Amino acid sequence: MDTESDQQPGRPEKLYTGGERPYDPEDLVMATGADPTPERIQKARQLIEKEGPQVIERYLP
């Protein structure tokens, strides 16, 4: 007999917040809740270059 805990996926061993892994400027735009337009993607690219990859952590929970 399966129990509820047997059916639930296990918790990941390591949780990522975002800055530890590579992401695209499009990902940063979408993390802000906006649609990726060429202008927003360019601004996101500049922001990543200026502030580094940890900038996405502002927008992630």
Side-chain angles (χ1 to χ4, degrees):
M1 176 181 245
D2 290 337
T3 64
E4 187 174 324
S5 62
D6 292 338
Q7 297 172 5
Q8 305 249 341
R11 208 170 177 179
E13 291 183 26
K14 184 172 182 181
L15 299 175
Y16 297 97
T17 59
E20 302 98 354
R21 295 180 147 184
Y23 62 90
D24 296 324
E26 292 88 349
D27 298 326
L28 179 57
V29 173
M30 289 187 289
T32 67
D35 291 328
T37 64
E39 295 81 16
R40 290 179 180 146
I41 292 169
Q42 182 59 31
K43 287 181 182 180
R45 184 176 287 113
Q46 292 169 350
L47 191 59
I48 294 168
E49 289 174 5
K50 179 181 176 187
E51 298 190 28
Q54 69 277 6
V55 72
I56 199 168
E57 296 192 24
R58 290 185 203 160
Y59 306 101
L60 297 176

